[in-house]
Amino acid sequence: MSVDVANEILRAGQWSGAASDRVVLDYEGRFLRRKKLRMESGAEVLVDLPETLSFEPGDALKTRSGALIAVAAAQEPLLRITGDLARLAWHIGNRHTPCQVEADHLVIRDDHVLADMLGQLGASIERFDGPFRPEGGAYGHGRTHGHDHKHDH
């Protein structure tokens, strides 16, 4: 049985209708260029894109055969952080840690070292499982890796 190849991405809102399958990926797994993925049905698809892209929940992969595969965020171990958000966000960012910014809290992936540091800074921390959707980067879609450094700072 041959594996279909997905070589196009459709961003959330750029596609409609029913997807033929769904792939559930964690935050790291949603950063891809070329990789074989197993979908919820058990079937496999080879993602083969011209460049590495960051996928968001609601995006879709389009295969050469025309099938649409919905991208969903996996449940991950996370930390919900409350307190002096500006100060805590600065310390999280200073460690180049992806962070989901909400109106009344911050979310990072569960990390006992960061949890300890943030606790020492006065943060309240709650562990939970959920989809991780950190703030996108200023230089590229979804991730800060798009800053190519082809210039001097």
Side-chain angles (χ1 to χ4, degrees), residues 84-152:
D84 181 351
L85 296 185
R87 181 172 183 236
L88 298 169
W90 186 90
H91 284 280
I92 291 167
N94 192 45
R95 282 145 187 89
H96 300 278
T97 300
C99 182
Q100 183 174 326
V101 179
E102 302 295 341
D104 63 349
H105 67 278
L106 304 171
V107 177
I108 62 172
R109 289 179 287 180
D110 193 346
D111 180 304
H112 71 280
V113 173
L114 286 174
D116 183 55
M117 177 202 68
L118 294 167
Q120 290 179 32
L121 292 168
S124 295
I125 299 167
E126 173 191 339
R127 286 183 161 79
F128 72 102
D129 288 338
F132 186 47
R133 297 186 64 186
E135 192 71 20
Y139 301 106
H141 180 81
R143 313 274 171 130
T144 57
H145 299 137
H147 188 62
D148 61 17
H149 283 92
K150 291 180 183 169
H151 62 273
D152 294 328

Side-chain angles (χ1 to χ4, degrees), residues 6 8-9 23 37 45 47 55 59-63 67-69 71:
E8 187 178 345
I9 178 175
V23 62
L37 301 175
V45 64
V47 177
F55 289 78
D59 290 346
L61 292 161
K62 185 173 182 181
T63 67
L68 290 178
I69 301 161
V71 175

Side-chain angles (χ1 to χ4, degrees), residues 13-73:
Q14 292 180 330
W15 64 283
S16 62
S20 59
D21 213 331
R22 188 171 91 137
V23 62
V24 180
L25 302 168
D26 65 10
Y27 173 68
E28 293 300 329
R30 293 193 314 267
F31 193 57
L32 340 140
R33 190 194 82 70
R34 184 173 169 84
K35 185 175 183 177
K36 190 183 284 188
L37 301 175
R38 184 171 305 280
M39 298 176 285
E40 284 186 327
S41 68
E44 293 182 329
V45 64
L46 174 63
V47 177
D48 188 13
L49 300 168
E51 62 184 349
T52 303
L53 295 173
S54 178
F55 289 78
E56 295 299 324
D59 290 346
L61 292 161
K62 185 173 182 181
T63 67
R64 289 183 181 156
S65 69
L68 290 178
I69 301 161
V71 175

